[in-house]
Amino acid sequence: MRTALSILLAVLAGLLAALSLVGARAEALVHTPEPLQRIAGPMSEDPALREALPAELAEVVGDQLPEGLPGFLESSVTGLVQGAAGGLVTDERFPAAWAETVEQTRTDWAGRMDRLAGRGTTPASDPGAQGGTVHLQTGPLLDLGIDRLAASVSGLPGGETVSQTLRDGLDGAAADSPVRSVDLSVPDPETVDPDAVAWAVDNLYRWPWLAGTAAVLVLLALMVAPRRRKGTPLVAAGITVLAAGAVARWALGRMAPAADLDGIARAAAGSLLDGVRDYAMPDTLLLIVGGGVVAALGLMVALVSGLRADR
């Protein structure tokens, strides 16, 4: 009975230890800018995204062109729009615009989680506030595209008017409209309950309590275990942590963009998931190796305890 109780306590300790590590890393990712910048910074170098982004932005800007332009001016502006978008990713201002896009994306999603958890200040009338997925905030990229276009059309008759009309149209677009916000379906709402995600995000700050509780449970497990079985709780805790790391590694490897995404949304979602995978994979290895070390230590303790008891 004491052995079974010690194993149960050790398994709970292992689970809580694994969750505390996940919570610490997730809290940093959601609530501080640096981790996501490290993850999403290389996204701007993703070939698929660099190919999809100019075409998408050219289409968005082209849709904002004022109606009734003279034929010669319309064809000239259309060509300039495509040129401005095509050179976007090589513009020296692109890294700064991309960094701002990433930061706005993070704060927007954190606000969505607050809204779902009932703590946010986003108006209930905002339809996007009800969603739990990441929305890529393309505003800074659009602004850069407009700046490039404005410089290109300034020499055309009526160019300044066209540029100002484009700015007014994009500025007037709703913050959550497809013009300025691209839904990446991450996490996939078809497989992950948004309310569960919001609850988890709302409780990330509790990870130190999980770590402390895990340490207490390990001590209790060692105290409860019979003298000859002091290593058993350590083996159980180590195997639990190792298994948690293996399952997390398997789950990360299966992440993929939602099947119905295309264009910039699919490219950005795929690149984002790759970044999150790279961010989290070392932690899964830490769990696997750490759990293996604890389990091996438990086997050594069990062996020593058995030898002492035989004397």
PDB file of all heavy atoms in Angstrom, residues 94-129:
ATOM      1  N   PHE A  94      12.079  46.758 -44.274  1.00  0.00           N
ATOM      2  CA  PHE A  94      11.241  45.576 -44.085  1.00  0.00           C
ATOM      3  C   PHE A  94      11.476  44.885 -42.741  1.00  0.00           C
ATOM      4  O   PHE A  94      10.510  44.497 -42.074  1.00  0.00           O
ATOM      5  CB  PHE A  94      11.452  44.589 -45.230  1.00  0.00           C
ATOM      6  CG  PHE A  94      10.645  43.321 -45.096  1.00  0.00           C
ATOM      7  CD1 PHE A  94       9.274  43.318 -45.316  1.00  0.00           C
ATOM      8  CD2 PHE A  94      11.258  42.130 -44.735  1.00  0.00           C
ATOM      9  CE1 PHE A  94       8.532  42.157 -45.183  1.00  0.00           C
ATOM     10  CE2 PHE A  94      10.526  40.966 -44.597  1.00  0.00           C
ATOM     11  CZ  PHE A  94       9.162  40.980 -44.829  1.00  0.00           C
ATOM     12  N   PRO A  95      12.737  44.677 -42.292  1.00  0.00           N
ATOM     13  CA  PRO A  95      12.928  44.008 -40.992  1.00  0.00           C
ATOM     14  C   PRO A  95      12.210  44.702 -39.838  1.00  0.00           C
ATOM     15  O   PRO A  95      11.618  44.056 -38.977  1.00  0.00           O
ATOM     16  CB  PRO A  95      14.451  44.017 -40.811  1.00  0.00           C
ATOM     17  CG  PRO A  95      14.990  44.053 -42.197  1.00  0.00           C
ATOM     18  CD  PRO A  95      14.028  44.911 -42.966  1.00  0.00           C
ATOM     19  N   ALA A  96      12.266  46.053 -39.818  1.00  0.00           N
ATOM     20  CA  ALA A  96      11.590  46.792 -38.745  1.00  0.00           C
ATOM     21  C   ALA A  96      10.075  46.646 -38.855  1.00  0.00           C
ATOM     22  O   ALA A  96       9.378  46.482 -37.846  1.00  0.00           O
ATOM     23  CB  ALA A  96      11.980  48.265 -38.794  1.00  0.00           C
ATOM     24  N   ALA A  97       9.555  46.700 -40.089  1.00  0.00           N
ATOM     25  CA  ALA A  97       8.113  46.529 -40.282  1.00  0.00           C
ATOM     26  C   ALA A  97       7.674  45.130 -39.886  1.00  0.00           C
ATOM     27  O   ALA A  97       6.605  44.938 -39.292  1.00  0.00           O
ATOM     28  CB  ALA A  97       7.740  46.812 -41.741  1.00  0.00           C
ATOM     29  N   TRP A  98       8.505  44.137 -40.197  1.00  0.00           N
ATOM     30  CA  TRP A  98       8.166  42.762 -39.836  1.00  0.00           C
ATOM     31  C   TRP A  98       8.194  42.577 -38.320  1.00  0.00           C
ATOM     32  O   TRP A  98       7.315  41.915 -37.754  1.00  0.00           O
ATOM     33  CB  TRP A  98       9.120  41.781 -40.510  1.00  0.00           C
ATOM     34  CG  TRP A  98       8.816  40.352 -40.142  1.00  0.00           C
ATOM     35  CD1 TRP A  98       9.516  39.570 -39.284  1.00  0.00           C
ATOM     36  CD2 TRP A  98       7.719  39.582 -40.602  1.00  0.00           C
ATOM     37  NE1 TRP A  98       8.927  38.335 -39.172  1.00  0.00           N
ATOM     38  CE2 TRP A  98       7.816  38.308 -39.977  1.00  0.00           C
ATOM     39  CE3 TRP A  98       6.671  39.816 -41.483  1.00  0.00           C
ATOM     40  CZ2 TRP A  98       6.892  37.290 -40.211  1.00  0.00           C
ATOM     41  CZ3 TRP A  98       5.747  38.800 -41.714  1.00  0.00           C
ATOM     42  CH2 TRP A  98       5.864  37.560 -41.080  1.00  0.00           C
ATOM     43  N   ALA A  99       9.189  43.161 -37.661  1.00  0.00           N
ATOM     44  CA  ALA A  99       9.257  43.064 -36.202  1.00  0.00           C
ATOM     45  C   ALA A  99       8.017  43.680 -35.558  1.00  0.00           C
ATOM     46  O   ALA A  99       7.472  43.138 -34.588  1.00  0.00           O
ATOM     47  CB  ALA A  99      10.526  43.743 -35.686  1.00  0.00           C
ATOM     48  N   GLU A 100       7.563  44.807 -36.088  1.00  0.00           N
ATOM     49  CA  GLU A 100       6.350  45.440 -35.555  1.00  0.00           C
ATOM     50  C   GLU A 100       5.120  44.583 -35.844  1.00  0.00           C
ATOM     51  O   GLU A 100       4.210  44.487 -35.014  1.00  0.00           O
ATOM     52  CB  GLU A 100       6.185  46.833 -36.166  1.00  0.00           C
ATOM     53  CG  GLU A 100       4.979  47.595 -35.652  1.00  0.00           C
ATOM     54  CD  GLU A 100       5.003  47.837 -34.150  1.00  0.00           C
ATOM     55  OE1 GLU A 100       6.101  47.850 -33.561  1.00  0.00           O
ATOM     56  OE2 GLU A 100       3.916  48.013 -33.571  1.00  0.00           O
ATOM     57  N   THR A 101       5.091  43.943 -37.000  1.00  0.00           N
ATOM     58  CA  THR A 101       4.000  43.030 -37.330  1.00  0.00           C
ATOM     59  C   THR A 101       3.929  41.885 -36.315  1.00  0.00           C
ATOM     60  O   THR A 101       2.854  41.521 -35.833  1.00  0.00           O
ATOM     61  CB  THR A 101       4.199  42.451 -38.747  1.00  0.00           C
ATOM     62  OG1 THR A 101       4.023  43.499 -39.698  1.00  0.00           O
ATOM     63  CG2 THR A 101       3.206  41.336 -39.046  1.00  0.00           C
ATOM     64  N   VAL A 102       5.084  41.324 -35.996  1.00  0.00           N
ATOM     65  CA  VAL A 102       5.147  40.223 -35.034  1.00  0.00           C
ATOM     66  C   VAL A 102       4.669  40.668 -33.656  1.00  0.00           C
ATOM     67  O   VAL A 102       3.889  39.965 -32.995  1.00  0.00           O
ATOM     68  CB  VAL A 102       6.585  39.665 -34.961  1.00  0.00           C
ATOM     69  CG1 VAL A 102       6.722  38.676 -33.810  1.00  0.00           C
ATOM     70  CG2 VAL A 102       6.962  39.002 -36.283  1.00  0.00           C
ATOM     71  N   GLU A 103       5.107  41.844 -33.213  1.00  0.00           N
ATOM     72  CA  GLU A 103       4.724  42.319 -31.889  1.00  0.00           C
ATOM     73  C   GLU A 103       3.224  42.633 -31.836  1.00  0.00           C
ATOM     74  O   GLU A 103       2.550  42.295 -30.843  1.00  0.00           O
ATOM     75  CB  GLU A 103       5.538  43.552 -31.521  1.00  0.00           C
ATOM     76  CG  GLU A 103       5.171  44.178 -30.172  1.00  0.00           C
ATOM     77  CD  GLU A 103       5.315  43.235 -28.990  1.00  0.00           C
ATOM     78  OE1 GLU A 103       5.906  42.139 -29.138  1.00  0.00           O
ATOM     79  OE2 GLU A 103       4.840  43.601 -27.905  1.00  0.00           O
ATOM     80  N   GLN A 104       2.693  43.253 -32.868  1.00  0.00           N
ATOM     81  CA  GLN A 104       1.255  43.522 -32.892  1.00  0.00           C
ATOM     82  C   GLN A 104       0.464  42.215 -32.924  1.00  0.00           C
ATOM     83  O   GLN A 104      -0.614  42.125 -32.318  1.00  0.00           O
ATOM     84  CB  GLN A 104       0.898  44.385 -34.103  1.00  0.00           C
ATOM     85  CG  GLN A 104       1.364  45.823 -33.999  1.00  0.00           C
ATOM     86  CD  GLN A 104       0.856  46.684 -35.138  1.00  0.00           C
ATOM     87  OE1 GLN A 104      -0.059  46.303 -35.875  1.00  0.00           O
ATOM     88  NE2 GLN A 104       1.448  47.862 -35.297  1.00  0.00           N
ATOM     89  N   THR A 105       0.988  41.224 -33.601  1.00  0.00           N
ATOM     90  CA  THR A 105       0.324  39.922 -33.644  1.00  0.00           C
ATOM     91  C   THR A 105       0.275  39.303 -32.256  1.00  0.00           C
ATOM     92  O   THR A 105      -0.749  38.740 -31.836  1.00  0.00           O
ATOM     93  CB  THR A 105       1.052  38.989 -34.627  1.00  0.00           C
ATOM     94  OG1 THR A 105       1.009  39.558 -35.944  1.00  0.00           O
ATOM     95  CG2 THR A 105       0.419  37.611 -34.653  1.00  0.00           C
ATOM     96  N   ARG A 106       1.385  39.389 -31.520  1.00  0.00           N
ATOM     97  CA  ARG A 106       1.431  38.814 -30.165  1.00  0.00           C
ATOM     98  C   ARG A 106       0.453  39.523 -29.236  1.00  0.00           C
ATOM     99  O   ARG A 106      -0.317  38.866 -28.524  1.00  0.00           O
ATOM    100  CB  ARG A 106       2.856  38.926 -29.601  1.00  0.00           C
ATOM    101  CG  ARG A 106       3.002  38.315 -28.209  1.00  0.00           C
ATOM    102  CD  ARG A 106       4.360  38.646 -27.591  1.00  0.00           C
ATOM    103  NE  ARG A 106       4.490  40.065 -27.283  1.00  0.00           N
ATOM    104  CZ  ARG A 106       3.995  40.638 -26.187  1.00  0.00           C
ATOM    105  NH1 ARG A 106       3.338  39.912 -25.292  1.00  0.00           N
ATOM    106  NH2 ARG A 106       4.160  41.921 -25.973  1.00  0.00           N
ATOM    107  N   THR A 107       0.478  40.855 -29.226  1.00  0.00           N
ATOM    108  CA  THR A 107      -0.397  41.589 -28.311  1.00  0.00           C
ATOM    109  C   THR A 107      -1.866  41.407 -28.692  1.00  0.00           C
ATOM    110  O   THR A 107      -2.736  41.357 -27.814  1.00  0.00           O
ATOM    111  CB  THR A 107      -0.032  43.078 -28.294  1.00  0.00           C
ATOM    112  OG1 THR A 107      -0.074  43.609 -29.630  1.00  0.00           O
ATOM    113  CG2 THR A 107       1.367  43.274 -27.734  1.00  0.00           C
ATOM    114  N   ASP A 108      -2.142  41.305 -29.982  1.00  0.00           N
ATOM    115  CA  ASP A 108      -3.524  41.070 -30.415  1.00  0.00           C
ATOM    116  C   ASP A 108      -4.021  39.725 -29.904  1.00  0.00           C
ATOM    117  O   ASP A 108      -5.137  39.615 -29.386  1.00  0.00           O
ATOM    118  CB  ASP A 108      -3.600  41.124 -31.945  1.00  0.00           C
ATOM    119  CG  ASP A 108      -4.963  40.714 -32.470  1.00  0.00           C
ATOM    120  OD1 ASP A 108      -5.906  41.524 -32.379  1.00  0.00           O
ATOM    121  OD2 ASP A 108      -5.097  39.583 -32.975  1.00  0.00           O
ATOM    122  N   TRP A 109      -3.177  38.683 -30.039  1.00  0.00           N
ATOM    123  CA  TRP A 109      -3.615  37.354 -29.591  1.00  0.00           C
ATOM    124  C   TRP A 109      -3.745  37.297 -28.072  1.00  0.00           C
ATOM    125  O   TRP A 109      -4.698  36.695 -27.553  1.00  0.00           O
ATOM    126  CB  TRP A 109      -2.641  36.281 -30.072  1.00  0.00           C
ATOM    127  CG  TRP A 109      -3.144  34.895 -29.808  1.00  0.00           C
ATOM    128  CD1 TRP A 109      -4.153  34.251 -30.467  1.00  0.00           C
ATOM    129  CD2 TRP A 109      -2.674  33.980 -28.821  1.00  0.00           C
ATOM    130  NE1 TRP A 109      -4.340  32.983 -29.951  1.00  0.00           N
ATOM    131  CE2 TRP A 109      -3.443  32.799 -28.940  1.00  0.00           C
ATOM    132  CE3 TRP A 109      -1.673  34.038 -27.852  1.00  0.00           C
ATOM    133  CZ2 TRP A 109      -3.237  31.687 -28.123  1.00  0.00           C
ATOM    134  CZ3 TRP A 109      -1.472  32.934 -27.044  1.00  0.00           C
ATOM    135  CH2 TRP A 109      -2.252  31.774 -27.176  1.00  0.00           C
ATOM    136  N   ALA A 110      -2.828  37.933 -27.362  1.00  0.00           N
ATOM    137  CA  ALA A 110      -2.940  37.969 -25.905  1.00  0.00           C
ATOM    138  C   ALA A 110      -4.236  38.660 -25.487  1.00  0.00           C
ATOM    139  O   ALA A 110      -4.908  38.231 -24.536  1.00  0.00           O
ATOM    140  CB  ALA A 110      -1.729  38.693 -25.297  1.00  0.00           C
ATOM    141  N   GLY A 111      -4.611  39.713 -26.204  1.00  0.00           N
ATOM    142  CA  GLY A 111      -5.873  40.383 -25.919  1.00  0.00           C
ATOM    143  C   GLY A 111      -7.062  39.483 -26.193  1.00  0.00           C
ATOM    144  O   GLY A 111      -8.063  39.517 -25.456  1.00  0.00           O
ATOM    145  N   ARG A 112      -6.972  38.676 -27.244  1.00  0.00           N
ATOM    146  CA  ARG A 112      -8.053  37.728 -27.536  1.00  0.00           C
ATOM    147  C   ARG A 112      -8.202  36.705 -26.414  1.00  0.00           C
ATOM    148  O   ARG A 112      -9.321  36.329 -26.041  1.00  0.00           O
ATOM    149  CB  ARG A 112      -7.765  37.020 -28.862  1.00  0.00           C
ATOM    150  CG  ARG A 112      -7.856  37.910 -30.078  1.00  0.00           C
ATOM    151  CD  ARG A 112      -7.380  37.191 -31.338  1.00  0.00           C
ATOM    152  NE  ARG A 112      -7.352  38.137 -32.444  1.00  0.00           N
ATOM    153  CZ  ARG A 112      -8.408  38.472 -33.160  1.00  0.00           C
ATOM    154  NH1 ARG A 112      -9.568  37.919 -32.881  1.00  0.00           N
ATOM    155  NH2 ARG A 112      -8.325  39.342 -34.129  1.00  0.00           N
ATOM    156  N   MET A 113      -7.070  36.259 -25.904  1.00  0.00           N
ATOM    157  CA  MET A 113      -7.135  35.296 -24.806  1.00  0.00           C
ATOM    158  C   MET A 113      -7.768  35.925 -23.558  1.00  0.00           C
ATOM    159  O   MET A 113      -8.556  35.289 -22.855  1.00  0.00           O
ATOM    160  CB  MET A 113      -5.731  34.779 -24.477  1.00  0.00           C
ATOM    161  CG  MET A 113      -5.095  33.942 -25.581  1.00  0.00           C
ATOM    162  SD  MET A 113      -6.040  32.437 -25.975  1.00  0.00           S
ATOM    163  CE  MET A 113      -6.966  32.991 -27.422  1.00  0.00           C
ATOM    164  N   ASP A 114      -7.422  37.180 -23.285  1.00  0.00           N
ATOM    165  CA  ASP A 114      -8.044  37.882 -22.163  1.00  0.00           C
ATOM    166  C   ASP A 114      -9.551  37.990 -22.355  1.00  0.00           C
ATOM    167  O   ASP A 114     -10.328  37.833 -21.406  1.00  0.00           O
ATOM    168  CB  ASP A 114      -7.442  39.287 -22.016  1.00  0.00           C
ATOM    169  CG  ASP A 114      -6.060  39.264 -21.386  1.00  0.00           C
ATOM    170  OD1 ASP A 114      -5.686  38.210 -20.824  1.00  0.00           O
ATOM    171  OD2 ASP A 114      -5.359  40.280 -21.453  1.00  0.00           O
ATOM    172  N   ARG A 115      -9.947  38.267 -23.588  1.00  0.00           N
ATOM    173  CA  ARG A 115     -11.371  38.392 -23.885  1.00  0.00           C
ATOM    174  C   ARG A 115     -12.091  37.061 -23.641  1.00  0.00           C
ATOM    175  O   ARG A 115     -13.165  37.023 -23.019  1.00  0.00           O
ATOM    176  CB  ARG A 115     -11.540  38.838 -25.334  1.00  0.00           C
ATOM    177  CG  ARG A 115     -12.984  38.889 -25.821  1.00  0.00           C
ATOM    178  CD  ARG A 115     -13.775  39.938 -25.085  1.00  0.00           C
ATOM    179  NE  ARG A 115     -15.158  39.929 -25.537  1.00  0.00           N
ATOM    180  CZ  ARG A 115     -16.129  40.594 -24.936  1.00  0.00           C
ATOM    181  NH1 ARG A 115     -15.855  41.313 -23.866  1.00  0.00           N
ATOM    182  NH2 ARG A 115     -17.350  40.556 -25.395  1.00  0.00           N
ATOM    183  N   LEU A 116     -11.504  35.977 -24.132  1.00  0.00           N
ATOM    184  CA  LEU A 116     -12.127  34.668 -23.949  1.00  0.00           C
ATOM    185  C   LEU A 116     -12.163  34.259 -22.481  1.00  0.00           C
ATOM    186  O   LEU A 116     -13.074  33.555 -22.043  1.00  0.00           O
ATOM    187  CB  LEU A 116     -11.372  33.610 -24.766  1.00  0.00           C
ATOM    188  CG  LEU A 116     -11.610  33.642 -26.278  1.00  0.00           C
ATOM    189  CD1 LEU A 116     -10.695  32.650 -26.981  1.00  0.00           C
ATOM    190  CD2 LEU A 116     -13.059  33.349 -26.609  1.00  0.00           C
ATOM    191  N   ALA A 117     -11.158  34.717 -21.724  1.00  0.00           N
ATOM    192  CA  ALA A 117     -11.111  34.387 -20.299  1.00  0.00           C
ATOM    193  C   ALA A 117     -11.995  35.312 -19.470  1.00  0.00           C
ATOM    194  O   ALA A 117     -12.080  35.157 -18.248  1.00  0.00           O
ATOM    195  CB  ALA A 117      -9.672  34.454 -19.794  1.00  0.00           C
ATOM    196  N   GLY A 118     -12.627  36.292 -20.122  1.00  0.00           N
ATOM    197  CA  GLY A 118     -13.525  37.187 -19.419  1.00  0.00           C
ATOM    198  C   GLY A 118     -12.830  38.347 -18.735  1.00  0.00           C
ATOM    199  O   GLY A 118     -13.431  39.012 -17.895  1.00  0.00           O
ATOM    200  N   ARG A 119     -11.550  38.596 -19.069  1.00  0.00           N
ATOM    201  CA  ARG A 119     -10.813  39.666 -18.396  1.00  0.00           C
ATOM    202  C   ARG A 119     -10.453  40.809 -19.334  1.00  0.00           C
ATOM    203  O   ARG A 119      -9.863  41.780 -18.922  1.00  0.00           O
ATOM    204  CB  ARG A 119      -9.531  39.119 -17.770  1.00  0.00           C
ATOM    205  CG  ARG A 119      -9.750  38.074 -16.711  1.00  0.00           C
ATOM    206  CD  ARG A 119      -8.463  37.743 -15.971  1.00  0.00           C
ATOM    207  NE  ARG A 119      -7.446  37.187 -16.845  1.00  0.00           N
ATOM    208  CZ  ARG A 119      -6.420  37.856 -17.332  1.00  0.00           C
ATOM    209  NH1 ARG A 119      -6.273  39.135 -17.064  1.00  0.00           N
ATOM    210  NH2 ARG A 119      -5.522  37.270 -18.108  1.00  0.00           N
ATOM    211  N   GLY A 120     -10.769  40.654 -20.620  1.00  0.00           N
ATOM    212  CA  GLY A 120     -10.323  41.656 -21.575  1.00  0.00           C
ATOM    213  C   GLY A 120     -11.233  42.860 -21.631  1.00  0.00           C
ATOM    214  O   GLY A 120     -12.348  42.866 -21.125  1.00  0.00           O
ATOM    215  N   THR A 121     -10.737  43.897 -22.294  1.00  0.00           N
ATOM    216  CA  THR A 121     -11.503  45.134 -22.450  1.00  0.00           C
ATOM    217  C   THR A 121     -11.959  45.316 -23.893  1.00  0.00           C
ATOM    218  O   THR A 121     -12.527  46.340 -24.237  1.00  0.00           O
ATOM    219  CB  THR A 121     -10.648  46.346 -22.047  1.00  0.00           C
ATOM    220  OG1 THR A 121      -9.459  46.377 -22.847  1.00  0.00           O
ATOM    221  CG2 THR A 121     -10.266  46.265 -20.579  1.00  0.00           C
ATOM    222  N   THR A 122     -11.704  44.313 -24.759  1.00  0.00           N
ATOM    223  CA  THR A 122     -12.111  44.422 -26.148  1.00  0.00           C
ATOM    224  C   THR A 122     -13.630  44.454 -26.238  1.00  0.00           C
ATOM    225  O   THR A 122     -14.296  43.642 -25.601  1.00  0.00           O
ATOM    226  CB  THR A 122     -11.585  43.214 -26.957  1.00  0.00           C
ATOM    227  OG1 THR A 122     -10.182  43.112 -26.755  1.00  0.00           O
ATOM    228  CG2 THR A 122     -11.876  43.393 -28.434  1.00  0.00           C
ATOM    229  N   PRO A 123     -14.209  45.355 -27.005  1.00  0.00           N
ATOM    230  CA  PRO A 123     -15.667  45.419 -27.099  1.00  0.00           C
ATOM    231  C   PRO A 123     -16.259  44.116 -27.598  1.00  0.00           C
ATOM    232  O   PRO A 123     -15.705  43.465 -28.483  1.00  0.00           O
ATOM    233  CB  PRO A 123     -15.896  46.550 -28.126  1.00  0.00           C
ATOM    234  CG  PRO A 123     -14.639  47.357 -28.107  1.00  0.00           C
ATOM    235  CD  PRO A 123     -13.536  46.390 -27.797  1.00  0.00           C
ATOM    236  N   ALA A 124     -17.367  43.713 -27.007  1.00  0.00           N
ATOM    237  CA  ALA A 124     -18.022  42.470 -27.411  1.00  0.00           C
ATOM    238  C   ALA A 124     -18.500  42.531 -28.850  1.00  0.00           C
ATOM    239  O   ALA A 124     -18.710  41.493 -29.480  1.00  0.00           O
ATOM    240  CB  ALA A 124     -19.191  42.179 -26.474  1.00  0.00           C
ATOM    241  N   SER A 125     -18.685  43.763 -29.390  1.00  0.00           N
ATOM    242  CA  SER A 125     -19.150  43.896 -30.763  1.00  0.00           C
ATOM    243  C   SER A 125     -18.068  43.548 -31.782  1.00  0.00           C
ATOM    244  O   SER A 125     -18.356  43.382 -32.961  1.00  0.00           O
ATOM    245  CB  SER A 125     -19.616  45.335 -31.012  1.00  0.00           C
ATOM    246  OG  SER A 125     -18.560  46.252 -30.766  1.00  0.00           O
ATOM    247  N   ASP A 126     -16.833  43.457 -31.336  1.00  0.00           N
ATOM    248  CA  ASP A 126     -15.741  43.096 -32.232  1.00  0.00           C
ATOM    249  C   ASP A 126     -15.808  41.606 -32.494  1.00  0.00           C
ATOM    250  O   ASP A 126     -15.524  40.800 -31.612  1.00  0.00           O
ATOM    251  CB  ASP A 126     -14.391  43.463 -31.597  1.00  0.00           C
ATOM    252  CG  ASP A 126     -13.206  43.045 -32.465  1.00  0.00           C
ATOM    253  OD1 ASP A 126     -13.435  42.617 -33.614  1.00  0.00           O
ATOM    254  OD2 ASP A 126     -12.071  43.145 -31.989  1.00  0.00           O
ATOM    255  N   PRO A 127     -16.141  41.170 -33.737  1.00  0.00           N
ATOM    256  CA  PRO A 127     -16.275  39.742 -33.997  1.00  0.00           C
ATOM    257  C   PRO A 127     -14.969  38.987 -33.819  1.00  0.00           C
ATOM    258  O   PRO A 127     -14.957  37.830 -33.421  1.00  0.00           O
ATOM    259  CB  PRO A 127     -16.770  39.683 -35.458  1.00  0.00           C
ATOM    260  CG  PRO A 127     -16.314  40.981 -36.060  1.00  0.00           C
ATOM    261  CD  PRO A 127     -16.373  41.975 -34.939  1.00  0.00           C
ATOM    262  N   GLY A 128     -13.841  39.636 -34.107  1.00  0.00           N
ATOM    263  CA  GLY A 128     -12.558  38.956 -33.956  1.00  0.00           C
ATOM    264  C   GLY A 128     -12.194  38.708 -32.519  1.00  0.00           C
ATOM    265  O   GLY A 128     -11.362  37.860 -32.215  1.00  0.00           O
ATOM    266  N   ALA A 129     -12.806  39.475 -31.597  1.00  0.00           N
ATOM    267  CA  ALA A 129     -12.474  39.316 -30.184  1.00  0.00           C
ATOM    268  C   ALA A 129     -12.903  37.961 -29.663  1.00  0.00           C
ATOM    269  O   ALA A 129     -12.402  37.486 -28.646  1.00  0.00           O
ATOM    270  CB  ALA A 129     -13.139  40.417 -29.365  1.00  0.00           C
TER     271      ALA A 129
END
